[in-house]
PDB file of all heavy atoms in Angstrom:
ATOM      1  N   PHE A1437       9.864  -5.018 -11.855  1.00  0.00           N
ATOM      2  CA  PHE A1437      10.407  -5.110 -10.498  1.00  0.00           C
ATOM      3  C   PHE A1437       9.630  -6.144  -9.685  1.00  0.00           C
ATOM      4  O   PHE A1437      10.207  -6.984  -8.983  1.00  0.00           O
ATOM      5  CB  PHE A1437      10.347  -3.743  -9.807  1.00  0.00           C
ATOM      6  CG  PHE A1437      10.727  -3.776  -8.344  1.00  0.00           C
ATOM      7  CD1 PHE A1437      12.051  -3.685  -7.968  1.00  0.00           C
ATOM      8  CD2 PHE A1437       9.753  -3.903  -7.354  1.00  0.00           C
ATOM      9  CE1 PHE A1437      12.414  -3.726  -6.619  1.00  0.00           C
ATOM     10  CE2 PHE A1437      10.103  -3.951  -6.015  1.00  0.00           C
ATOM     11  CZ  PHE A1437      11.438  -3.858  -5.645  1.00  0.00           C
ATOM     12  N   ILE A1438       8.308  -6.081  -9.771  1.00  0.00           N
ATOM     13  CA  ILE A1438       7.453  -7.000  -9.022  1.00  0.00           C
ATOM     14  C   ILE A1438       7.649  -8.431  -9.481  1.00  0.00           C
ATOM     15  O   ILE A1438       7.760  -9.357  -8.665  1.00  0.00           O
ATOM     16  CB  ILE A1438       5.972  -6.574  -9.166  1.00  0.00           C
ATOM     17  CG1 ILE A1438       5.746  -5.240  -8.440  1.00  0.00           C
ATOM     18  CG2 ILE A1438       5.031  -7.656  -8.627  1.00  0.00           C
ATOM     19  CD1 ILE A1438       4.439  -4.553  -8.808  1.00  0.00           C
ATOM     20  N   MET A1439       7.727  -8.663 -10.771  1.00  0.00           N
ATOM     21  CA  MET A1439       7.863 -10.015 -11.309  1.00  0.00           C
ATOM     22  C   MET A1439       9.207 -10.637 -10.958  1.00  0.00           C
ATOM     23  O   MET A1439       9.319 -11.857 -10.810  1.00  0.00           O
ATOM     24  CB  MET A1439       7.672  -9.995 -12.832  1.00  0.00           C
ATOM     25  CG  MET A1439       6.299  -9.496 -13.279  1.00  0.00           C
ATOM     26  SD  MET A1439       4.901 -10.381 -12.546  1.00  0.00           S
ATOM     27  CE  MET A1439       4.998 -11.931 -13.450  1.00  0.00           C
ATOM     28  N   ARG A1440      10.233  -9.828 -10.780  1.00  0.00           N
ATOM     29  CA  ARG A1440      11.566 -10.338 -10.454  1.00  0.00           C
ATOM     30  C   ARG A1440      11.788 -10.488  -8.952  1.00  0.00           C
ATOM     31  O   ARG A1440      12.711 -11.183  -8.525  1.00  0.00           O
ATOM     32  CB  ARG A1440      12.629  -9.401 -11.026  1.00  0.00           C
ATOM     33  CG  ARG A1440      12.708  -9.404 -12.551  1.00  0.00           C
ATOM     34  CD  ARG A1440      13.614  -8.283 -13.031  1.00  0.00           C
ATOM     35  NE  ARG A1440      13.713  -8.261 -14.496  1.00  0.00           N
ATOM     36  CZ  ARG A1440      14.228  -7.248 -15.188  1.00  0.00           C
ATOM     37  NH1 ARG A1440      14.661  -6.160 -14.543  1.00  0.00           N
ATOM     38  NH2 ARG A1440      14.292  -7.307 -16.500  1.00  0.00           N
ATOM     39  N   ASN A1441      10.953  -9.814  -8.152  1.00  0.00           N
ATOM     40  CA  ASN A1441      11.176  -9.794  -6.703  1.00  0.00           C
ATOM     41  C   ASN A1441      10.745 -11.107  -6.054  1.00  0.00           C
ATOM     42  O   ASN A1441       9.649 -11.613  -6.313  1.00  0.00           O
ATOM     43  CB  ASN A1441      10.408  -8.614  -6.091  1.00  0.00           C
ATOM     44  CG  ASN A1441      10.787  -8.378  -4.645  1.00  0.00           C
ATOM     45  OD1 ASN A1441      10.255  -9.017  -3.749  1.00  0.00           O
ATOM     46  ND2 ASN A1441      11.699  -7.446  -4.418  1.00  0.00           N
ATOM     47  N   GLN A1442      11.597 -11.651  -5.186  1.00  0.00           N
ATOM     48  CA  GLN A1442      11.336 -12.956  -4.586  1.00  0.00           C
ATOM     49  C   GLN A1442      10.310 -12.910  -3.456  1.00  0.00           C
ATOM     50  O   GLN A1442       9.772 -13.948  -3.074  1.00  0.00           O
ATOM     51  CB  GLN A1442      12.645 -13.555  -4.068  1.00  0.00           C
ATOM     52  CG  GLN A1442      13.655 -13.864  -5.165  1.00  0.00           C
ATOM     53  CD  GLN A1442      14.921 -14.492  -4.629  1.00  0.00           C
ATOM     54  OE1 GLN A1442      15.126 -14.581  -3.414  1.00  0.00           O
ATOM     55  NE2 GLN A1442      15.783 -14.940  -5.528  1.00  0.00           N
ATOM     56  N   ILE A1443      10.044 -11.751  -2.926  1.00  0.00           N
ATOM     57  CA  ILE A1443       9.102 -11.646  -1.809  1.00  0.00           C
ATOM     58  C   ILE A1443       7.656 -11.801  -2.277  1.00  0.00           C
ATOM     59  O   ILE A1443       6.814 -12.374  -1.577  1.00  0.00           O
ATOM     60  CB  ILE A1443       9.284 -10.308  -1.066  1.00  0.00           C
ATOM     61  CG1 ILE A1443      10.699 -10.214  -0.485  1.00  0.00           C
ATOM     62  CG2 ILE A1443       8.248 -10.168   0.064  1.00  0.00           C
ATOM     63  CD1 ILE A1443      11.047 -11.316   0.512  1.00  0.00           C
ATOM     64  N   PHE A1444       7.359 -11.328  -3.460  1.00  0.00           N
ATOM     65  CA  PHE A1444       5.992 -11.446  -3.964  1.00  0.00           C
ATOM     66  C   PHE A1444       5.692 -12.898  -4.347  1.00  0.00           C
ATOM     67  O   PHE A1444       6.507 -13.573  -4.985  1.00  0.00           O
ATOM     68  CB  PHE A1444       5.780 -10.531  -5.170  1.00  0.00           C
ATOM     69  CG  PHE A1444       5.769  -9.079  -4.817  1.00  0.00           C
ATOM     70  CD1 PHE A1444       6.820  -8.253  -5.190  1.00  0.00           C
ATOM     71  CD2 PHE A1444       4.720  -8.529  -4.105  1.00  0.00           C
ATOM     72  CE1 PHE A1444       6.822  -6.914  -4.855  1.00  0.00           C
ATOM     73  CE2 PHE A1444       4.710  -7.191  -3.756  1.00  0.00           C
ATOM     74  CZ  PHE A1444       5.772  -6.382  -4.131  1.00  0.00           C
ATOM     75  N   THR A1445       4.517 -13.356  -3.963  1.00  0.00           N
ATOM     76  CA  THR A1445       4.127 -14.743  -4.212  1.00  0.00           C
ATOM     77  C   THR A1445       3.776 -14.974  -5.682  1.00  0.00           C
ATOM     78  O   THR A1445       3.550 -14.017  -6.446  1.00  0.00           O
ATOM     79  CB  THR A1445       2.902 -15.120  -3.367  1.00  0.00           C
ATOM     80  OG1 THR A1445       1.780 -14.316  -3.788  1.00  0.00           O
ATOM     81  CG2 THR A1445       3.154 -14.882  -1.882  1.00  0.00           C
ATOM     82  N   ARG A1446       3.690 -16.227  -6.051  1.00  0.00           N
ATOM     83  CA  ARG A1446       3.303 -16.594  -7.414  1.00  0.00           C
ATOM     84  C   ARG A1446       1.915 -16.054  -7.737  1.00  0.00           C
ATOM     85  O   ARG A1446       1.680 -15.511  -8.822  1.00  0.00           O
ATOM     86  CB  ARG A1446       3.325 -18.117  -7.553  1.00  0.00           C
ATOM     87  CG  ARG A1446       2.890 -18.623  -8.923  1.00  0.00           C
ATOM     88  CD  ARG A1446       3.065 -20.142  -8.997  1.00  0.00           C
ATOM     89  NE  ARG A1446       2.542 -20.669 -10.249  1.00  0.00           N
ATOM     90  CZ  ARG A1446       1.282 -21.074 -10.433  1.00  0.00           C
ATOM     91  NH1 ARG A1446       0.420 -21.005  -9.414  1.00  0.00           N
ATOM     92  NH2 ARG A1446       0.873 -21.546 -11.598  1.00  0.00           N
ATOM     93  N   ASN A1447       0.985 -16.185  -6.795  1.00  0.00           N
ATOM     94  CA  ASN A1447      -0.374 -15.681  -7.019  1.00  0.00           C
ATOM     95  C   ASN A1447      -0.392 -14.170  -7.206  1.00  0.00           C
ATOM     96  O   ASN A1447      -1.145 -13.634  -8.030  1.00  0.00           O
ATOM     97  CB  ASN A1447      -1.284 -16.066  -5.853  1.00  0.00           C
ATOM     98  CG  ASN A1447      -1.667 -17.526  -5.879  1.00  0.00           C
ATOM     99  OD1 ASN A1447      -1.549 -18.179  -6.911  1.00  0.00           O
ATOM    100  ND2 ASN A1447      -2.125 -18.038  -4.752  1.00  0.00           N
ATOM    101  N   ARG A1448       0.442 -13.480  -6.434  1.00  0.00           N
ATOM    102  CA  ARG A1448       0.497 -12.029  -6.560  1.00  0.00           C
ATOM    103  C   ARG A1448       1.043 -11.641  -7.934  1.00  0.00           C
ATOM    104  O   ARG A1448       0.576 -10.678  -8.561  1.00  0.00           O
ATOM    105  CB  ARG A1448       1.365 -11.436  -5.449  1.00  0.00           C
ATOM    106  CG  ARG A1448       1.483  -9.930  -5.473  1.00  0.00           C
ATOM    107  CD  ARG A1448       0.148  -9.247  -5.443  1.00  0.00           C
ATOM    108  NE  ARG A1448      -0.426  -9.151  -4.110  1.00  0.00           N
ATOM    109  CZ  ARG A1448      -1.642  -8.676  -3.857  1.00  0.00           C
ATOM    110  NH1 ARG A1448      -2.415  -8.283  -4.857  1.00  0.00           N
ATOM    111  NH2 ARG A1448      -2.102  -8.623  -2.626  1.00  0.00           N
TER     112      ARG A1448
END
Side-chain angles (χ1 to χ4, degrees):
F1437 173 86
I1438 292 165
M1439 299 305 287
R1440 291 170 180 167
N1441 190 276
Q1442 295 182 352
I1443 299 300
F1444 290 109
T1445 64
R1446 178 175 175 270
N1447 285 342
R1448 181 56 81 185

